[in-house]
Amino acid sequence: IAGITQAPTSQILAAGRRMTLRCTQDMRHNAMYWYRQDLGLGLRLIHYSNTAGTTGKGEVPDGYSVSRANTDDFPLTLASAVPSQTSVYFCASSEAGLAGSNEQFFGPGTRLTVL
Amino acid sequence: GQNIDQPTEMTATEGAIVQINCTYQTSGFNGLFWYQQHAGEAPTFLSYNVLDGLEEKGRFSSFLSRSKGYSYLLLKELQMKDSASYLCAVEDSNYQLIWGAGTKLIIKP
């Protein structure tokens, strides 16, 4: 049982390039999330999806897009990367999505550096 | 606005007890979570409180006072492996988690 996997583990990217971070879960969770984590700041929600086929904007959505074509996959795309998007990106999932104890399970993270 | 406050860093001695506080102001409240995050790793779930009072789970306990917008995580019999960051998160009225910046706990022998 893998839980949540993310790829790549780390990436160095030139500014202006397009990049997709992959996230797959095998727990059949309804909800999935993308966060970024920067030093001295809490986890900040970029985008979320409460169920397959729907997505929503979080606290810091600008410059990012997501899709949720099926239950398992939730890719995050940076259309044109900028240095301020240098961060550690975590994908997470939860069973509930809308109500109840919304315990979230996290992937191992992707460390992204934009030069 | 929404705000979660916790101390940036704390130091404690192996075998001792430490209390990490968290205060919050959020738009709605549907529960409070504590997560542990070791350096370079993903956060992992520790506890969840939705009603006032103390929840005990082995060496870790978490307390909640909704009227005061306050929680704490209590770690007993500290071990070196407890050196980590501890993240407080509140589930708001939209069922999204609002995260504090985390408290880095340093354990000394």
Side-chain angles (χ1 to χ4, degrees):
Chain A
I1 297 176
I4 300 182
T5 57
Q6 293 185 234
T9 302
S10 65
Q11 182 75 45
I12 298 174
L13 190 65
R17 296 297 296 269
R18 180 183 179 90
M19 176 74 191
T20 295
L21 308 185
R22 300 185 298 280
C23 174
T24 300
Q25 54 108 354
D26 64 2
M27 297 177 284
R28 307 303 293 173
H29 283 171
N30 287 319
M32 297 186 75
Y33 313 85
W34 274 106
Y35 292 97
R36 59 178 291 171
Q37 188 175 40
D38 302 290
L39 196 64
L41 300 176
L43 288 161
R44 292 184 291 169
L45 183 65
I46 303 170
H47 285 287
Y48 65 93
S49 169
N50 285 327
T51 189
T54 68
T55 62
K57 294 181 179 180
E59 179 186 355
V60 289
D62 293 345
Y64 306 94
S65 64
V66 292
S67 61
R68 187 88 184 278
N70 56 60
T71 298
D72 299 344
D73 301 302
F74 192 44
L76 176 75
T77 298
L78 289 68
S80 178
V82 295
S84 62
Q85 292 178 312
T86 294
S87 187
V88 179
Y89 290 85
F90 286 104
C91 179
S93 71
S94 67
E95 184 175 342
L98 288 175
S101 170
N102 199 13
E103 178 187 344
Q104 294 184 11
F105 297 81
F106 284 80
T110 294
R111 185 174 297 274
L112 182 68
T113 302
V114 182
L115 301 176
Chain B
Q2 310 213 85
N3 196 46
I4 311 283
D5 285 320
Q6 24 178 161
T8 302
E9 186 175 296
M10 299 182 70
T11 302
T13 303
E14 189 177 16
I17 299 173
V18 70
Q19 177 175 311
I20 302 173
N21 296 324
C22 171
T23 58
Y24 62 89
Q25 291 177 305
T26 57
S27 56
F29 179 87
N30 282 308
L32 186 143
F33 293 80
W34 285 95
Y35 279 74
Q36 182 188 59
Q37 185 177 25
H38 285 100
E41 297 183 7
T44 55
F45 172 80
L46 284 178
S47 68
Y48 171 71
N49 294 68
V50 65
L51 300 175
D52 288 354
L54 189 67
E55 294 279 344
E56 297 185 81
K57 190 185 295 185
R59 294 189 299 114
F60 292 7
S61 303
S62 56
F63 171 84
L64 174 67
S65 169
R66 289 172 297 172
S67 63
K68 295 182 179 179
Y70 168 71
S71 173
Y72 67 73
L73 180 69
L74 192 71
L75 291 75
K76 303 176 185 176
E77 302 170 13
L78 285 170
Q79 302 175 9
M80 297 304 293
K81 67 178 182 178
D82 297 329
S83 292
S85 289
Y86 292 86
L87 314 180
C88 174
V90 171
E91 189 173 28
D92 70 7
S93 57
N94 295 317
Y95 300 101
Q96 301 296 343
L97 292 187
I98 309 301
W99 296 82
T103 298
K104 182 178 181 180
L105 179 62
I106 299 169
I107 310 295
K108 296 186 175 180

